[in-house]
Amino acid sequence: MAGKYLVVGAGFSGAVLAHRLAVLLPESHIEVWDEKSHIAGNCYTARNPETGIMVHQYGPHIFNTDKKPIWDFVNQYVQLEPFFHRVHAHVDGKVFSLPINLNTINQFFGEKFCPAQAQEFIREKGDGSIGEPRNFEEQALKFLGAELYQTFFYGYTKKQWGCDPRELPASILKRLPVRFCDNDSYYEHPFVGIPREGYTVLVEKLLQKPNIHLKLNRKFSPGEEISGFDHVFFTGPLDAFFQYKYGRLGYRTVTFEPFVSEGTFQEVAVMNYCEESVPYTRITEHKHFAPWETHSKTICFKEYSKETTEADPPFYPKRLARDKALLKQYRQDAEALGQVSFLGRLGTYRYMDMHHVIGESLEFAQKFSAAVRTGTCPPVFPNQEAFA
Ligand code: UDP
């Protein structure tokens, strides 16, 4: 099947898709374009020349999944070093363990509870009058109570998302567990790791196929460019594809302020600053992502969050009520095109983690190649339920 395909975006969604298409449709010619000067999108890692440390240039990325096949898929190309991700919270000069666990509860309330006592205590703190939580704040008040919510979540969330937590979906808070034991792993998933030589090498390996042709610094403009290909896979922002004709979907962007010093700055890779009065959301110390390496210096990023403008790269889809109405319009237009599919965090406007993105691209390549073989219509989006 000698199709000519264009994948727009060399981040995880585009690279995994191109890789699988190259395997499943070996006769095809696949171009991968990225407007950036590098591959790997926001997962891009590079060594900092001054310190020699591998830096997560667009913020911390820790690969975690509950799906062994996805873990194995990544491990075929790079060595994933098992990683225990600890995040601490800095509030009012004190440091607490996250996600909220037995130690956090005991330290914060000055208690010495055992797990069962802590669970009962927090159950009593929770607001029992809330039925099914309708937003982030209700989720927090129902399951954590006002004190923990105000201290650890209210200020951080306002800074991170730039809106009142009542406007945000409960699903954002559900990303984080609450534990009544002393397990302080930030993730629930059994497979957690970081590629020994960073993520860029992984994407490089995925794109190393004779029928994949990579073009960097190559901006895609919809229109005449589509007609040169049998099918286009777009992993950039959905609203950008349509030149924002209905308005802009809400995204938060992130900026980083690096600083270098001798030794080690903090005890963990990520320190969250939960108070609203501190202008940044967190400080990431990159050497902690590679505990198998030794470095005398350190490099940290202070992370600031702000609303995305045309000049900024979008990071976090907000999905407020207004955004969902716009999304419906863009989705209808996308479905009318037929010759273009949309994938990934930006293409489908969803808060996805790396393992979601990889899983969806693998599945999508399978569906697409089956459609090519049977001569049926290829899918436009990987997952229709996501638009509910
Ligand atoms: N959050 C918070 N305080 C914290 C950590 C997280 O309020 O110290 C909230 C915040 O709204 C965040 C959400 O919980 O967006 C999910 O956290 P996660 O660490 O999954 O966010 P990410 O790493 O994707 O930025």
Side-chain angles (χ1 to χ4, degrees):
M1 305 273 171
K4 190 173 176 201
Y5 304 120
L6 172 63
V7 177
V8 180
F12 257 128
S13 57
V16 172
L17 179 84
H19 178 85
R20 279 308 286 164
L21 288 179
V23 173
L24 295 167
L25 301 167
E27 313 279 284
S28 59
H29 170 100
I30 302 164
E31 292 200 13
V32 178
W33 295 359
D34 202 298
E35 62 183 2
K36 289 190 170 125
S37 58
H38 62 75
I39 57 169
N42 283 2
C43 301
Y44 178 61
T45 47
R47 282 205 189 272
N48 171 257
E50 188 181 348
T51 60
I53 294 167
M54 186 64 81
V55 169
H56 295 205
Q57 299 283 355
Y58 297 87
H61 283 80
I62 301 100
F63 181 71
N64 69 102
T65 183
D66 54 349
K67 300 198 171 48
K68 179 86 168 41
I70 295 190
W71 176 263
D72 291 342
F73 172 78
V74 173
N75 252 315
Q76 278 176 66
Y77 305 100
V78 286
Q79 188 181 337
L80 275 170
E81 292 288 344
F83 185 75
F84 194 97
H85 188 40
R86 282 197 180 85
V87 176
H88 286 173
H90 192 285
V91 192
D92 205 14
K94 297 191 196 79
V95 173
F96 297 88
S97 163
L98 285 181
I100 304 286
N101 61 63
L102 184 61
N103 287 329
T104 326
I105 295 166
N106 278 334
Q107 184 189 346
F108 183 73
F109 291 103
E111 297 287 354
K112 288 190 177 131
F113 291 137
C114 71
Q117 287 168 321
Q119 187 157 14
E120 180 54 20
F121 180 77
I122 294 299
R123 201 189 57 74
E124 279 170 15
K125 290 270 175 203
D127 184 342
S129 71
I130 297 171
E132 184 58 32
R134 288 167 302 177
N135 56 53
F136 186 105
E137 181 165 291
E138 287 191 357
Q139 176 77 18
L141 292 176
K142 182 177 167 98
F143 293 105
L144 292 169
E147 292 110 312
L148 290 173
Y149 168 55
Q150 284 297 334
T151 307
F152 295 103
F153 297 97
Y154 179 78
Y156 186 97
T157 298
K158 270 188 91 178
K159 289 192 291 186
Q160 163 78 13
W161 294 96
C163 62
D164 191 286
R166 279 172 296 195
E167 288 183 74
L168 294 167
S171 59
I172 294 183
L173 185 58
K174 286 186 196 158
R175 290 169 59 84
L176 297 182
V178 179
R179 301 200 189 104
F180 300 101
C181 60
D182 57 10
N183 174 11
D184 63 347
S185 164
Y186 201 63
Y187 300 118
E188 292 282 77
H189 290 151
F191 306 104
V192 184
I194 295 188
R196 196 170 172 90
E197 280 301 318
Y199 293 95
T200 310
V201 175
L202 166 59
V203 174
E204 215 168 74
K205 292 204 171 155
L206 290 171
L207 294 173
Q208 262 165 20
K209 289 263 160 209
N211 50 342
I212 294 183
H213 308 272
L214 173 69
K215 291 183 182 164
L216 292 176
N217 302 305
R218 180 69 163 92
K219 199 171 163 59
F220 169 79
S221 34
E224 76 286 356
E225 290 188 324
I226 294 181
S227 58
F229 296 92
D230 294 310
H231 200 85
V232 173
F233 304 89
F234 188 77
T235 70
L238 180 61
D239 52 350
F241 183 92
F242 294 102
Q243 278 107 41
Y244 311 103
K245 66 194 255 201
Y246 300 120
R248 298 181 82 86
L249 290 168
Y251 273 102
R252 294 297 278 178
T253 193
V254 182
T255 55
F256 304 100
E257 195 180 289
F259 60 94
V260 171
S261 66
E262 288 298 325
T264 300
F265 179 76
Q266 59 195 28
E267 69 272 25
V268 285
V270 176
M271 179 75 77
N272 290 353
Y273 286 77
C274 299
E275 286 151 298
E276 211 180 338
S277 55
V278 178
Y280 43 90
T281 50
R282 55 187 178 182
I283 297 182
T284 297
E285 184 165 20
H286 296 270
K287 74 189 325 184
H288 292 300
F289 293 131
W292 51 90
E293 295 182 4
T294 312
H295 299 278
S296 59
K297 288 189 171 181
T298 194
I299 176 162
C300 299
F301 279 11
K302 272 187 188 162
E303 189 169 323
Y304 298 81
S305 173
K306 71 174 188 79
E307 209 59 26
T308 304
T309 69
E310 213 154 328
D312 303 309
F315 276 70
Y316 291 93
K318 291 178 78 171
R319 294 179 69 90
L320 304 185
R322 170 195 165 276
D323 300 314
K324 285 199 171 169
L326 281 187
L327 179 61
K328 206 169 162 189
Q329 288 175 286
Y330 284 122
R331 184 188 156 187
Q332 277 163 359
D333 281 17
E335 272 159 1
L337 292 170
Q339 203 193 338
V340 186
S341 301
F342 296 82
L343 285 104
R345 194 185 252 227
L346 304 179
T348 62
Y349 192 60
R350 281 175 300 153
Y351 193 176
M352 297 167 84
D353 292 331
M354 285 184 281
H355 68 115
H356 295 129
V357 167
I358 294 170
E360 276 197 5
S361 281
L362 287 174
E363 254 177 51
F364 198 83
Q366 203 74 37
K367 281 187 203 159
F368 182 82
S369 60
V372 169
R373 285 208 188 85
T374 52
T376 49
C377 247
V380 175
F381 291 105
N383 181 348
Q384 296 301 324
E385 296 89 73
F387 294 100

